[in-house]
Amino acid sequence: MNTYPETFDVTVIGGGNAGLEAAPIAAKMGAKTLLVTHSFERFGEQSCNPSIGGIGKSHLVKEIDALGGLMAVVTDHAGIQFRILNASKGAAVQATRAQIDRKIYKNHMHRQVWHIPGLMHFQAAADSLLIEGGKVTGVVLDNGIKVRSKTVILTAGTFLNGKMFVGLKSFPGGRINDPPSTALAECLAQLGLPRARLKTGTPARLDGRTIDFNKCKIQLGDTNPVPVFSYMGSPSQHPMQVPCWITHTNEKTHDIIRAGLGTSPLFTGKIEGIGPRYCPSIEDKIHRFADKTSHHVFLEPEGLDTTVFYPNGISTSLDCEVQMDFIRTIPGLENVRILRPGYAIEYDFYDPTALKASLESKILENLFLAGQVNGTTGYEEAAAQGIYAGINAVLKSRDQEPFILGRDQAYLGVMIDDLITKGVNEPYRMFTSRAEFRLSLREDNADLRLTEIGRKLGSVDDRRWGYYCQKCDKLEAEEERLKSIWVNPGVLNETSKRMLGGDLQKEATLYALLKRPQMDYEKLRHLKPVAGAPFLQEPTLDPSLGKLLNTRVKYAGYINRQKEEVKRDKDRLHTKIPENFNYDEVKGLSFEICQKLKKIRPQTIGQALSISGVTPAAVSILLVYLKRAESMAKK
């Protein structure tokens, strides 16, 4: 067997969303990195919906960007429609969503990945891992070549033992036109990684030339202003913006689907894996929500130079004939041509409770797992795990402490903590409701939360750092300016008084006025004095920074209270639990709690408290024993 002539710090298996964040960030940090993928042409392929972002997911994309990742940058170049979701609600739950041109996204990702210094590529499939003394020391490729590496990151997505279904027919596959990874899956099973099966799916693809859009409702993107994903992005990067369309199923659609359930692998027992609760197939929707007579269908263009449309909302694995019949009952799709039927895919994933907080395996040292192999669903969740695992693999290769984010620091921290403490029994999807501190973990401040951390880690380059510092300086200068300008009673004209809800009772700064519910940063420019009074000066920030400052000022009191709450609990929650801690010696723990703690082996009290069923009372008992063990160790 041949051995590759070079040894790597980090080797990444897989060129999907997780791999294409893990490998570049490792190389940017100065690690000698190898990306192994079975097809150069396919990496960066977005195989399901042609969109990035959404509720909770966009927060992850912004955090990837803040740490120096690629997804947001590429989305700004490929986005063909941008919208702010929940725009009428509070800043904590607002989210950006972009339709993307698949080809532009893939091509721009290629341009990024192929030109990163220190990142090497090898086209092959990984068949097994090299193990020495219980530690992973590299990979063995399908051509027999051994690759030595200090760390390995597995980001195989849906490829591990992937099996695809259309009706009652099934065949091996990692996604359409791609083979599964069976040898590596068998190797991992033999090595003792706890695994199970999950399922996902995709809808048929439709020919837009045969859609009657006159029967559909148009859905336009935001134009004033057009949002961006990257903190260094600009609307000028976006290609032409195009509309999406909305139609809906009806009772005739549902009748055909019900009649065709005998051809569904979901309902005939051929698929064992659990599918995503929040993105179910249309047959699952009809079954679970039998009282509903209609479901929305979003017709999304897959690009600017293609007529392919993605019908979001009707993912299916029914027989091809049934798919054609039910789709043609939907308004606007009566004469549509199907370009490719929908399908389901079932694949192996590995229990994330067997991972450390760094995403390193507790079973095999030097092996990191990221993406759908950890039981998540979605491009954004996979990419976020990828950058997290990439940073930690580099640190591991250098024998440095891992990079761990808390639930109070990032959605990334929330997701990782959820995975390693609670595990999954269905594909995990990020939502803002999962974050206890979502008021502090907003879309607009991910760089303020994480870019300085990334700079210290080496993942943030000079250009991004310079842009970030300039942004901070502008915000600080404008905040100080607003605090320095005082407005006296009787100075404002009648229009300004109405805007404020009446005249001032006492003098106040512009900063204080901005805290008022009826005021926002842009309205400050419309505050005018009576004739002869000194000019109040207009705001200096552009709209996006002005919106951020507006949120910071308005929510400052709430955020400060939240910080105090976090600070009070920090010492207790960050108390470390030794890896070899003997839970059996802790009297007062129930058998169930003791078993959960022994299985998951939390690294801190905070992680222990996150485990389902572990009560505050149990944690209090655990703290007593930890302090006792610490005291004995000092004697």
Side-chain angles (χ1 to χ4, degrees):
M1 185 183 288
N2 297 325
T3 299
Y4 198 81
E6 297 178 75
T7 297
F8 295 91
D9 297 313
V10 179
T11 294
V12 179
I13 301 172
N17 288 292
L20 293 181
E21 295 293 348
I25 209 69
K28 285 181 180 180
M29 291 174 68
K32 193 173 183 180
T33 307
L34 178 68
L35 175 60
V36 176
T37 178
H38 76 280
S39 170
F40 291 151
E41 290 72 28
R42 296 283 275 171
F43 72 52
E45 190 88 39
Q46 304 297 56
S47 53
C48 195
N49 54 309
S51 66
I52 299 292
I55 306 300
K57 291 172 174 282
S58 67
H59 294 69
L60 291 174
V61 180
K62 298 277 190 176
E63 290 176 358
I64 292 167
D65 188 63
L67 288 168
L70 298 178
M71 180 172 270
V73 173
V74 176
T75 300
D76 280 338
H77 284 276
I80 56 177
Q81 188 195 96
F82 288 78
R83 287 192 300 130
I84 298 295
L85 308 182
N86 286 341
S88 62
K89 297 183 179 180
V93 295
Q94 291 179 8
T96 306
R97 186 180 188 275
Q99 291 297 137
I100 58 168
D101 182 302
R102 287 190 192 277
K103 188 197 294 187
I104 295 175
Y105 188 96
K106 180 178 169 182
N107 289 345
H108 196 78
M109 184 64 82
H110 272 249
R111 284 197 291 274
Q112 291 280 333
V113 173
W114 281 105
H115 295 93
I116 294 174
L119 176 56
M120 297 181 63
H121 306 78
F122 201 92
Q123 186 165 296
D127 272 4
S128 61
L129 300 175
L130 292 173
I131 310 290
E132 296 176 13
K135 298 181 181 181
V136 173
T137 58
V139 299
V140 181
L141 306 180
D142 59 353
N143 53 22
I145 295 176
K146 285 183 180 179
V147 178
R148 295 281 178 182
S149 185
K150 293 179 181 178
T151 61
V152 173
I153 306 175
L154 177 62
T155 70
T158 60
F159 282 73
L160 293 169
N161 273 334
K163 190 176 183 181
M164 300 171 65
F165 298 83
V166 180
L168 299 180
K169 297 178 182 177
S170 63
F171 46 94
R175 63 184 168 201
I176 197 73
N177 299 324
D178 282 318
S181 179
T182 52
L184 182 58
E186 185 57 35
C187 167
L188 294 169
Q190 291 177 1
L191 290 170
L193 269 66
R195 63 175 176 167
R197 301 283 278 175
L198 288 177
K199 167 259 174 189
T200 189
T202 193
R205 301 304 195 269
L206 309 179
D207 187 342
R209 295 171 299 182
T210 60
I211 297 174
D212 185 353
F213 293 107
N214 292 319
K215 294 183 178 180
C216 306
K217 179 183 176 182
I218 194 168
Q219 186 181 51
L220 298 171
D222 295 345
T223 56
N224 188 27
V226 178
V228 293
F229 255 111
S230 174
Y231 290 103
M232 299 191 300
S234 164
S236 64
Q237 295 172 296
H238 305 335
M240 182 175 69
Q241 301 294 289
V242 298
C244 296
W245 305 84
I246 305 174
T247 182
H248 51 84
T249 63
N250 50 59
E251 291 190 10
K252 187 175 180 181
T253 314
H254 300 184
D255 288 341
I256 292 172
I257 292 171
R258 290 189 192 98
L261 289 180
T263 74
S264 169
L266 278 175
F267 289 86
T268 55
K270 292 189 174 294
I271 292 180
E272 301 171 7
I274 303 297
R277 182 194 309 186
Y278 303 103
C279 188
S281 65
I282 186 62
E283 52 265 41
D284 202 17
K285 286 183 189 177
I286 302 308
H287 177 72
R288 285 165 50 189
F289 308 108
D291 58 320
K292 286 190 173 290
T293 58
S294 178
H295 294 280
H296 280 118
V297 181
F298 300 88
L299 302 176
E300 303 174 350
E302 296 210 348
L304 298 175
D305 61 355
T306 179
T307 63
V308 180
F309 269 73
Y310 179 95
N312 198 337
I314 53 172
S315 169
T316 183
S317 56
L318 288 164
D319 180 80
C320 290
E321 187 175 346
V322 179
Q323 290 189 39
M324 176 65 79
D325 288 345
F326 88 71
I327 287 173
R328 286 189 166 180
T329 65
I330 297 171
L333 307 182
E334 294 88 349
N335 299 302
V336 77
R337 281 200 295 267
I338 290 181
L339 301 174
R340 191 186 82 198
Y343 64 87
I345 181 167
E346 190 181 44
Y347 55 93
D348 285 356
F349 83 100
Y350 299 93
D351 182 359
T353 64
L355 298 175
K356 299 177 183 179
S358 62
L359 293 184
E360 183 184 14
S361 170
K362 294 176 182 176
I363 298 169
L364 292 172
E365 189 175 347
N366 300 332
L367 176 65
F368 293 77
L369 286 81
Q372 285 185 266
V373 292
N374 289 337
T376 60
T377 181
Y379 307 148
E380 303 83 359
E381 289 87 346
Q385 291 173 75
I387 196 167
Y388 195 83
I391 291 170
N392 275 310
V394 174
L395 297 176
K396 177 72 175 183
S397 74
R398 296 170 179 169
D399 294 321
Q400 295 177 353
E401 287 295 308
F403 161 57
I404 308 297
L405 286 171
R407 298 182 71 92
D408 59 311
Q409 291 176 286
Y411 273 82
L412 233 173
V414 173
M415 177 173 65
I416 302 300
D417 188 64
D418 282 349
L419 291 174
I420 67 171
T421 60
K422 296 180 174 67
V424 297
N425 53 22
E426 63 185 18
Y428 178 97
R429 178 177 176 178
M430 178 50 70
F431 290 107
T432 52
S433 58
R434 295 189 188 273
E436 307 92 317
F437 305 106
R438 56 183 173 272
L439 188 56
S440 300
L441 308 183
R442 304 184 309 276
E443 251 200 9
D444 61 9
N445 70 353
D447 57 340
L448 301 179
R449 291 184 277 115
L450 299 176
T451 296
E452 288 189 45
I453 296 174
R455 182 65 172 180
K456 291 174 184 175
L457 291 166
S459 66
V460 169
D461 61 22
D462 291 343
R463 179 171 173 264
R464 180 177 292 279
W465 180 246
Y467 190 92
Y468 168 77
C469 291
Q470 187 180 47
K471 173 180 178 177
C472 291
D473 289 344
K474 286 181 179 179
L475 284 169
E476 186 177 343
E478 180 64 354
E479 197 166 297
E480 290 305 312
R481 189 184 73 85
L482 294 179
K483 289 177 179 178
S484 70
I485 299 175
W486 291 82
V487 184
N488 293 312
V491 171
L492 297 174
N493 63 22
E494 291 303 316
T495 303
S496 299
K497 289 177 186 177
R498 285 194 295 272
M499 195 183 302
L500 283 171
D503 198 4
L504 297 175
Q505 300 301 308
K506 60 181 180 179
E507 65 176 355
T509 63
L510 290 183
Y511 184 88
L513 294 182
L514 188 55
K515 288 188 174 187
R516 294 192 173 198
Q518 65 268 44
M519 284 300 296
D520 62 41
Y521 184 75
E522 281 302 303
K523 282 183 180 178
L524 288 180
R525 72 175 67 255
H526 300 295
L527 288 180
K528 302 296 181 185
V530 293
F535 188 61
L536 295 175
Q537 300 181 38
E538 291 192 354
T540 61
L541 299 179
D542 62 52
S544 63
L545 282 185
K547 186 178 179 183
L548 170 57
L549 180 61
N550 186 69
T551 302
R552 280 172 50 151
V553 173
K554 280 195 172 355
Y555 292 104
Y558 298 103
I559 292 170
N560 287 336
R561 281 199 293 273
Q562 202 168 76
K563 285 180 179 178
E564 286 298 316
E565 180 186 335
V566 171
K567 188 177 179 181
R568 282 196 305 269
D569 287 341
K570 204 154 197 172
D571 289 342
R572 184 172 71 98
L573 296 179
H574 287 207
T575 300
K576 291 187 177 181
I577 303 174
E579 285 190 24
N580 60 350
F581 186 79
N582 189 349
Y583 292 100
D584 291 323
E585 292 182 351
V586 182
K587 295 177 181 179
L589 292 181
S590 70
F591 177 78
E592 180 186 2
I593 289 176
C594 188
Q595 292 301 108
K596 285 185 176 181
L597 291 169
K598 286 162 68 175
K599 177 190 174 187
I600 295 172
R601 290 275 161 195
Q603 293 170 267
T604 65
I605 285 293
Q607 286 178 15
L609 197 55
S610 297
I611 299 170
S612 178
V614 175
T615 63
V619 166
S620 296
I621 295 170
L622 191 54
L623 276 167
V624 170
Y625 276 79
L626 286 171
K627 287 179 181 178
R628 185 182 299 172
E630 184 181 0
S631 298
M632 292 179 66
K634 290 179 179 178
K635 291 180 179 178

